[in-house]
Amino acid sequence: MKIALLTLPLHANYGGILQAFALKSYLEQFGHEVWLIDNRRREQPVGNLFLWTVLRRTVESLFHHKDIFAELNDARTRDYKRSEIEKFIYRHLSPRTIAVYDEADYAALRDEGFDLFVVGSDQVWRPRYAKEVDPYFFSFLAGSPLRRISYAASLGTAACEFDQRAKERYARLLAEFSGVSVREKSGVRQCRDYFGYDGARQVLDPTLLLTAGQYETFLKQGTASNDTLFCYIFQIKSDMRRALGRLASQQGCRIVHRTDRAVDSNGKMPGIEQWLTELHDARCVITDSFHACVFSILFHKPFVVCINHRRGSARIESLLELFGLESRIVDSGSELAAVLDVAIDWNAVDRKLEVCRADSRAFLSSYI
């Protein structure tokens, strides 16, 4: 079967790239030919990006001037910093279709001989992230007999980001899907309430379809140590930074701090393999990232979650609820040590994971 996979554009985002890799790899295990739709956004001129960045970040982080300049540097060096990440995309996310930018480009895919179109995972149905949402509801296939499904599509947040006109439009498009699955428990309700679709199913994020062993083949042996506290937080506040310092001192370990930004003056980011290795080999993980939670679960890493409500908390809360790990969420840095002192019953987590995997795989099997 020839399958077209549509997800958010692949930028310098570890989780976004790994979920695309996971779904593609899982489908290929059954002999399917999987093509990634090479959807892109037309970039604004750098000058406009700088102005927008300064305005947005100033409002959001008025007292965190270092973050503002970090993001400016991130924008300025965006191409260079992605070099290692681009290598992973080139090696593991091919073949790809021609680059598509607009409705006409998407419409051309109807004649490429695909047997099935799959949209997901990640926040493909969240206007704030997807920007132009129509293609993620397969607007370019409207009225076509071509089969389409969603796998673990996410609306990202429990709050509604659609106006009434959008709800009606996407209700019509969703009615043409052969099957609909979403990543969050709240997504099942949202499909019903927003789009009048009653048959949505909750499934695992694609990264959880693969085993820890399948990711461990990417680890870079000898490049990370187990005396580290892996901190993957996108916007860290000063009180949390101080709490992390105290925690690292108490545990006799050093902090490895990663974000989706450059880590040196040249704008270079660690590659996917290095990111996985640092998380895998760390003593513990502190994060506000959905996919860092996922890989902490897969690699059996003690972890704590600092929810970033602006980026969307529903997806993390839904994931942790699935495995009975809601207690890993903290509201302040003062709670870090206490949560880490509570051991996780990994046997119970793994049993639940296998049940959910079987259900998620069954959903895909019914269409492929």
Side-chain angles (χ1 to χ4, degrees):
M1 181 181 290
K2 186 176 181 181
I3 300 173
L5 175 58
L6 177 62
T7 189
L8 294 176
L10 300 180
H11 295 311
N13 179 288
Y14 298 110
I17 293 168
L18 284 165
Q19 62 83 22
F21 163 78
L23 185 52
K24 186 175 187 295
S25 298
Y26 178 77
L27 295 172
E28 288 175 338
Q29 291 177 11
F30 300 95
H32 300 295
E33 179 184 349
V34 184
W35 288 65
L36 191 73
I37 295 178
D38 191 10
N39 58 323
R40 305 185 186 187
R41 295 172 184 154
R42 299 192 188 279
E43 299 289 354
Q44 297 177 343
V46 172
N48 290 346
L49 180 59
F50 281 174
L51 290 174
W52 169 247
T53 298
V54 170
L55 177 61
R56 177 168 61 85
R57 295 287 293 172
T58 299
V59 172
E60 293 172 2
S61 306
L62 204 54
F63 301 104
H64 299 277
H65 60 280
K66 291 182 180 179
D67 286 347
I68 296 174
F69 292 111
E71 187 155 328
L72 284 171
N73 183 62
D74 174 69
R76 185 180 293 113
T77 59
R78 133 178 62 196
D79 292 333
Y80 180 77
K81 74 167 190 175
R82 291 176 58 191
S83 58
E84 289 300 312
I85 293 175
E86 289 286 2
K87 290 177 184 177
F88 185 92
I89 293 172
Y90 178 79
R91 292 169 183 159
H92 302 290
L93 286 166
S94 296
R96 283 180 278 177
T97 67
I98 59 168
V100 294
Y101 293 93
D102 53 34
E103 192 75 13
D105 294 335
Y106 279 106
L109 299 175
R110 295 169 62 151
D111 301 320
E112 294 299 315
F114 291 110
D115 303 297
L116 179 67
F117 286 79
V118 181
V119 62
S121 167
D122 231 340
Q123 300 181 68
V124 290
W125 288 348
R126 188 179 184 188
R128 182 191 185 111
Y129 284 13
K131 307 302 181 186
E132 178 57 52
V133 182
D134 281 23
Y136 299 102
F137 281 94
F138 292 131
S139 57
F140 57 96
L141 299 179
S144 164
L146 291 169
R147 290 196 309 144
R148 69 215 76 163
I149 66 170
S150 68
Y151 182 79
S154 174
L155 291 93
T157 176
C160 182
E161 295 184 348
F162 299 97
D163 59 28
Q164 187 58 35
R165 185 175 180 180
K167 290 180 184 178
E168 293 171 357
R169 173 166 173 73
Y170 300 139
R172 292 192 297 270
L173 292 173
L174 209 59
E176 297 188 31
F177 278 54
S178 299
V180 173
S181 66
V182 293
R183 193 172 66 181
E184 287 83 38
K185 182 179 179 180
S186 60
V188 174
R189 172 187 56 77
Q190 289 169 314
C191 283
R192 182 187 65 243
D193 295 348
Y194 299 170
F195 314 124
Y197 192 95
D198 289 323
R201 288 172 56 180
Q202 182 186 10
V203 294
L204 291 175
D205 184 82
T207 47
L208 288 164
L209 292 176
L210 304 186
T211 66
Q214 288 173 287
Y215 293 110
E216 286 169 349
T217 61
F218 292 114
L219 301 185
K220 301 176 72 172
Q221 301 299 326
T223 62
S225 61
N226 60 6
D227 65 344
T228 57
L229 186 160
F230 186 74
C231 176
Y232 188 59
I233 298 180
F234 285 82
Q235 187 175 349
I236 186 168
K237 296 181 180 179
S238 56
D239 63 327
M240 181 60 70
R241 196 184 300 274
R242 289 192 294 270
L244 286 170
R246 291 193 297 270
L247 179 64
S249 178
Q250 292 167 5
Q251 300 214 353
C253 58
R254 62 185 179 85
I255 299 173
V256 173
H257 189 196
R258 295 286 180 238
T259 68
D260 60 344
R261 296 179 188 150
V263 296
D264 59 34
S265 59
N266 291 322
K268 188 174 181 180
M269 282 182 72
I272 298 290
E273 297 88 347
Q274 186 65 28
W275 185 85
L276 283 172
T277 301
E278 289 175 342
L279 191 152
H280 178 275
D281 291 353
R283 187 180 301 177
C284 58
V285 177
I286 314 296
T287 188
D288 62 357
S289 158
F290 175 89
H291 282 106
C293 291
V294 165
F295 284 98
S296 295
I297 291 170
L298 283 170
F299 294 150
H300 290 187
K301 293 283 111 177
F303 70 100
V304 180
V305 185
C306 314
I307 293 290
N308 184 329
H309 293 283
R310 181 182 173 276
R311 295 182 62 238
S313 60
R315 57 208 180 102
I316 295 178
E317 291 166 349
S318 181
L319 173 71
L320 299 185
E321 181 183 350
L322 201 60
F323 296 103
L325 297 173
E326 304 97 313
S327 61
R328 310 308 292 187
I329 297 174
V330 301
D331 292 319
S332 68
S334 62
E335 302 172 78
L336 292 178
V339 172
L340 283 175
D341 282 342
V342 178
I344 296 173
D345 183 348
W346 291 116
N347 289 327
V349 169
D350 287 344
R351 287 194 297 270
K352 179 64 175 178
L353 177 56
E354 284 308 311
V355 171
C356 293
R357 270 185 182 147
D359 186 59
S360 299
R361 290 168 174 170
F363 173 84
L364 284 170
S365 296
S366 63
Y367 299 102
I368 62 173

